[in-house]
Amino acid sequence: MTAQGHLLFSVACIVLAKKAGITPELVHLDWWHAIPATLLGSLLPDIDHPRSFLGQHLPWISVPIAKVFGHRGFTHSLLAVALALWCLLYKLPASVPVPVGMVDAFIVGYLSHLLGDALTPAGVPLFWPVKQRFRLPLLNFRTGSHAETIICVLMVAGSLWWRH
């Protein structure tokens, strides 16, 4: 998926997560905080690729990660999700208070990225460093194609339409 696809897919996921009430904090989080946290979470796994959206803006982080782990390696695993959650909850300075609902939205975004990539034939190494990739190859079209955009927009529309 492209950055645009991940962003759209993450919006669909956060809308569904809030409607489903996956956590009370997320339900009560306003959209002005939920959407940016989700969007950031959805882009972060591709920090392992220097030409990704974040990789281009943060090359001093992206290039070393890419050299050590490669693309769709560690950052596309559940271990990376756990590390991100731990950092958000325990390693941020006390002067940077992050509401729990925003952490939840960030994690929804991160997981939406992993799910989106799992929908492609390449899959993701959920249990990295185990090399096995998990796939649900429902999206058999070219990355960045109009089909990707159309499907992601339809998913956003469907999530907005769905009533819980």
Side-chain angles (χ1 to χ4, degrees):
M1 274 189 161
T2 61
Q4 175 185 312
H6 282 300
L7 292 170
L8 288 167
F9 187 62
S10 72
V11 170
C13 289
I14 194 64
V15 169
L16 291 174
K18 280 181 67 68
K19 286 183 176 184
I22 62 169
T23 68
E25 294 82 10
L26 188 58
V27 170
H28 292 75
L29 184 65
D30 63 89
W31 290 108
W32 294 106
H33 289 91
I35 295 294
T38 303
L39 296 177
L40 178 60
S42 75
L43 293 176
L44 190 58
D46 278 343
I47 194 72
D48 65 1
H49 195 297
R51 291 193 311 224
S52 69
F53 180 81
L54 287 180
Q56 290 177 31
H57 291 86
L58 304 168
W60 61 92
I61 296 172
S62 181
V63 170
I65 291 174
K67 285 182 180 178
V68 173
F69 300 110
H71 183 50
R72 285 200 187 181
F74 167 72
T75 63
H76 286 69
S77 71
L78 295 176
L79 183 58
V81 175
L83 178 64
L85 183 59
W86 180 74
C87 287
L88 286 170
L89 292 177
Y90 301 110
K91 288 299 175 186
L92 283 177
S95 62
V96 184
V98 178
V100 175
M102 282 186 74
V103 172
D104 296 352
F106 176 86
I107 296 300
V108 167
Y110 204 113
L111 290 172
S112 77
H113 184 108
L114 300 186
L115 177 59
D117 281 353
L119 293 173
T120 67
V124 291
L126 285 180
F127 299 109
W128 182 93
V130 175
K131 300 275 187 211
Q132 180 184 2
R133 291 183 174 264
F134 291 82
R135 302 170 181 84
L136 301 164
L138 302 176
L139 306 177
N140 268 339
F141 46 76
R142 198 167 154 259
T143 297
S145 67
H146 291 296
E148 177 183 323
T149 302
I150 290 167
I151 288 174
C152 290
V153 167
L154 289 174
M155 293 175 86
V156 171
S159 70
L160 292 168
W161 175 78
W162 181 67
R163 297 191 189 273
H164 180 52

